[in-house]
C-alpha cells in the first residue's frame, strides 16, 4: 500500500532485494535512525539450480542497481547488473555478467507477507546483453529502455540501449551507440577502470527520456565525457541512425534526471574511465537545443559539493524538485548534498542554496548516491559497502535544506531508488 506521503523502492545492490519504505513512517521522530519505516524487503533476483537436480540451491546475486515505476504504480522494473550470476561470481568480479530486469508487482512488494520471498516477482526479463545500469520508461509507458554498460567479462565494451516491450516483456530492439573511431582499442579492455585502454566504447550509464520534440532519449556515456541524444521513434525501431547528437560534459557521467516539464536534463559528471580523475560538476542540458542538434545544448556546468582541485566532489546522483525549481545533487567523495536554484544555474549565477553534510549512524562514512524526489522531500541513499542492510536513506526537506529523517537497513551499497507519490498528488 502506498503511504500518505509516498513510498520508496530502494535497490539492494549487494543484497538480493529491494526495500519498500513508507515515507510517513520515516518522518516519525521515534523511527529516525532505524529500519522501522521499511514495510518489506521482497527479493529481486532469481533462484539458481547449480547442480541441475531441478531444486533451487542458491540465490542469484543480481546486484539490483536501478528502479523505474510506471505512472499507475502497478509495476516496478528493477535492473539487475549481474543478472543470474552467483554471489560468489559477482563478488569475484562484479562486471560483465548477463543483464536481467525484474518486474515486480508493486502492491505485492509492499505486502510484508512477501518479505524475503519471490512472491512479488511477475517475471524476469533477460536483456540479452551484459552489465546493465540505467533504465527509463518511455512517456507512454509502453517500453523500457535499458543501457548495456559492459561487454561479457569486462567493465568496458558497452555499446547499446536495449528496448523491452512492457506488454510482452521481450526485447524488441537494440539501439547501437556510436563508438570512438580515433581510440586505438578495437576490443573491450581487460583492465579495470581507470585505464588508458578505455575510450573506444561509450559504456552507457544513466538514461532519461523527454516527451519533447517528439520524444528524445539522453544517454550518459561513462566511457566518454558526453551524453548521447537519440530520436525516440528511431530508437524504438532499432535504427542505427537513432543517435542525432552528442553533448559534452566535464567527465564520465553517471546519474541523470529530467525536469518535470521535460525541458531540461541534469547530468552528474562522476569520473573518467580512461584517466584517474574524478568530476566535480553537474551539467544542465536544454532538451530543445539538443534535439535540434545545436552545439550549445549545455546551458550550465556547475561546481557542486564543495569540489576542489585537491578533492573533487564526484557527483553521483541528481534529481529535480517536484516543481523543477531546485536540483538536488549527491556528492560521493565530499560526502555532501547540494541543493541548487535551477533558474540561477541556467543564468550563470551563484546557485547553491544549501550544502548538507549528512551523517551516517555510528560515525560511518556517509557516501551519498542515488536520489528520488517525492513531494517536498529528496530521498538520498547513503552508506559505504559494509555488509547486508548497511545502506540508509536520508529524507531531506528540499526547501529547508535539512535532513528530517533517516532510514537504515535498506541494502548494501545501494545505488538508485524510485519514489511513488501518494495517489492525491
Amino acid at each position: 500500500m502506498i503511504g500518505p506521503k509516498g513510498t520508496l523502492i530502494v535497490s539492494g545492490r549487494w543484497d538480493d532485494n529491494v526495500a519498500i519504505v513508507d515515507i510517513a513512517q520515516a518522518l516519525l521522530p521515534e523511527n529516525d535512525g532505524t529500519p522501522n519505516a521499511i514495510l518489506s524487503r521482497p527479493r529481486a533476483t532469481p533462484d539458481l539450480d547449480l547442480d541441475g537436480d531441478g531444486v533451487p540451491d542458491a540465490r542469484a546475486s543480481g546486484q539490483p542497481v536501478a528502479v523505474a515505476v510506471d505512472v499507475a504504480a502497478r509495476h516496478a522494473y528493477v535492473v539487475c547488473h549481474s543478472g543470474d550470476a552467483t554471489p560468489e561470481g559477482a563478488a569475484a568480479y562484479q562486471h560483465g555478467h548477463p543483464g536481467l530486469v525484474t518486474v515486480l508487482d508493486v502492491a505485492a512488494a509492499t505486502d510484508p507477507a512477501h518479505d524475503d520471498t519471490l512472491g512479488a516477482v511477475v517475471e524476469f526479463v533477460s536483456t540479452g546483453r551484459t552489465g546493465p545500469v540505467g533504465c527509463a520508461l518511455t512517456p507512454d509507458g509502453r517500453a523500457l529502455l535499458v543501457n548495456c554498460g559492459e561487454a561479457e567479462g569486462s567493465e568496458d565494451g558497452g555499446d547499446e540501449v536495449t528496448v523491452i516491450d512492457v506488454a510482452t516483456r521481450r526485447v524488441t530492439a537494440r539501439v547501437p551507440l556510436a563508438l570512438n573511431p580515433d581510440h586505438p582499442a578495437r576490443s573491450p579492455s581487460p583492465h579495470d577502470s581507470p585505464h588508458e585502454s578505455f575510450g573506444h566504447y561509450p559504456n552507457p550509464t544513466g538514461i532519461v527520456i523527454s516527451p519533447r520534440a517528439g520524444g528524445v532519449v539522453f544517454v550518459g556515456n561513462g566511457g566518454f565525457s558526453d551524453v548521447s541524444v537519440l530520436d525516440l521513434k528511431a530508437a524504438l525501431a532499432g535504427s542505427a541512425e537513432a543517435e542525432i547528437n552528442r553533448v559534452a560534459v566535464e567527465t564520465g557521467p553517471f546519474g541523470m534526471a529530467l525536469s518535470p516539464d521535460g525541458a531540461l536534463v541534469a547530468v552528474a559528471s562522476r569520473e573518467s574511465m580512461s584517466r584517474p580523475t574524478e568530476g566535480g560538476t553537474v551539467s544542465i542540458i536544454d532538451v530543445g537545443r539538443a534535439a535540434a542538434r545545436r552545439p550549445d545544448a549545455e546551458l550550465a556546468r556547475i561546481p557542486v559539493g564543495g569540489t576542489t582541485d585537491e578533492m573533487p566532489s564526484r557527483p553521483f546522483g541528481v534529481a529535480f524538485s517536484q516543481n523543477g525549481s531546485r536540483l538536488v545533487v549527491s556528492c560521493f567523495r565530499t560526502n555532501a548534498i547540494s541543493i541548487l536554484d535551477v533558474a540561477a544555474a541556467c543564468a550563470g549565477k551563484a546557485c547553491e542554496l544549501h550544502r548538507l553534510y549528512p551523517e551516517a549512524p555510528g560515525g560511518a562514512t556517509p557516501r551519498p548516491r542515488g536520489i528520488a524526489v517525492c513531494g517536498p522531500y529528496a530521498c538520498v541513499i547513503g552508506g559505504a559497502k559494509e555488509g547486508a542492510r548497511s545502506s540508509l536513506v536520508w529524507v531531506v526537506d528540499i526547501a529547508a535544506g535539512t535532513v528530517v529523517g533517516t532510514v537504515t537497513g535498506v541494502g548494501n551499497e545501494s545505488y538508485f531508488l524510485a519514489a511513488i507519490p501518494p495517489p492525491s498528488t
Side-chain angles (χ1 to χ4, degrees):
M1 178 179 178
I2 298 171
K5 289 186 180 295
T7 303
L8 305 175
I9 303 180
V10 186
S11 66
R13 199 173 181 222
W14 294 104
D15 287 353
D16 61 9
N17 55 44
V18 295
I20 312 299
V21 177
D22 185 302
I23 296 176
Q25 291 295 313
L27 294 171
L28 295 177
E30 62 267 30
N31 289 337
D32 187 41
T34 77
N36 294 345
I38 298 176
L39 302 176
S40 181
R41 297 183 184 88
R43 286 182 52 199
T45 74
D47 285 327
L48 302 177
D49 177 15
L50 299 179
D51 59 12
D53 65 356
V55 179
D57 45 30
R59 297 180 176 191
S61 162
Q63 288 188 74
V65 293
V67 187
V69 181
D70 62 35
V71 292
R74 291 186 57 203
H75 294 111
Y77 301 86
V78 183
V79 173
C80 293
H81 184 67
S82 61
D84 59 3
T86 64
E88 294 77 15
Y93 192 63
Q94 64 178 292
H95 303 295
H97 297 284
L100 198 68
V101 173
T102 303
V103 184
L104 296 178
D105 180 286
V106 170
T110 62
D111 187 342
H114 297 304
D115 183 78
D116 199 38
T117 79
L118 294 175
V121 175
V122 176
E123 192 163 352
F124 294 109
V125 182
S126 172
T127 66
R129 294 297 305 274
T130 48
V133 181
C135 67
L137 286 160
T138 54
D140 62 10
R142 294 182 179 179
L144 180 76
L145 274 59
V146 183
N147 287 336
C148 164
E150 301 164 351
E152 183 176 356
S154 175
E155 189 183 1
D156 193 20
D159 61 0
E160 81 165 33
V161 176
T162 305
V163 180
I164 297 174
D165 182 274
V166 165
T168 64
R169 303 192 182 108
R170 296 293 180 267
V171 174
T172 55
R174 300 190 182 281
V175 188
L177 298 173
L179 309 182
N180 177 11
D182 298 326
H183 192 278
R186 289 298 177 268
S187 60
S189 174
H191 303 279
D192 287 342
S193 70
H195 193 272
E196 61 184 7
S197 54
F198 285 75
H200 181 62
Y201 298 93
N203 300 333
T205 51
I207 180 171
V208 295
I209 306 173
S210 172
R212 296 211 170 195
V216 190
V217 185
F218 292 81
V219 179
N221 294 317
F224 301 151
S225 296
D226 61 25
V227 173
S228 288
V229 183
L230 314 181
D231 177 89
L232 177 59
K233 291 180 181 178
L236 294 176
S239 171
E241 307 301 320
E243 188 169 354
I244 58 175
N245 198 2
R246 285 276 174 98
V247 181
V249 295
E250 179 195 9
T251 190
F254 202 64
M256 299 175 64
L258 180 71
S259 63
D261 62 2
L264 302 174
V265 172
V267 183
S269 290
R270 186 175 73 152
E271 63 192 4
S272 171
M273 298 188 80
S274 57
R275 296 179 293 111
T277 58
E278 296 182 333
T281 64
V282 166
S283 292
I284 297 179
I285 297 172
D286 182 283
V287 170
R289 293 184 186 183
R293 312 184 190 210
R294 288 174 53 171
D296 60 347
E298 185 189 36
L299 296 180
R301 186 177 294 184
I302 311 114
V304 290
T307 191
T308 64
D309 290 341
E310 294 73 27
M311 178 65 76
S313 60
R314 194 177 187 250
F316 194 104
V318 285
F320 285 93
S321 62
Q322 197 168 38
N323 64 5
S325 68
R326 301 290 183 262
L327 182 67
V328 185
V329 185
S330 62
C331 297
F332 181 94
R333 190 64 63 205
T334 53
N335 297 301
I337 299 171
S338 288
I339 300 177
L340 311 180
D341 181 298
V342 174
C346 292
K349 299 178 181 179
C351 61
E352 188 179 54
L353 302 175
H354 304 284
R355 186 188 304 161
L356 294 69
Y357 292 95
E359 297 180 355
T365 306
R367 296 294 186 237
R369 292 187 292 281
I371 309 170
V373 165
C374 192
Y377 305 110
C379 303
V380 186
I381 289 175
K385 183 181 178 183
E386 294 181 346
R389 302 184 180 182
S390 60
S391 287
L392 56 99
V393 172
W394 297 289
V395 182
V396 176
D397 183 309
I398 297 173
T402 58
V403 175
V404 292
T406 302
V407 182
T408 60
V410 296
N412 184 6
E413 201 186 29
S414 296
Y415 265 21
F416 292 106
L417 71 169
I420 308 174
S424 61
T425 63

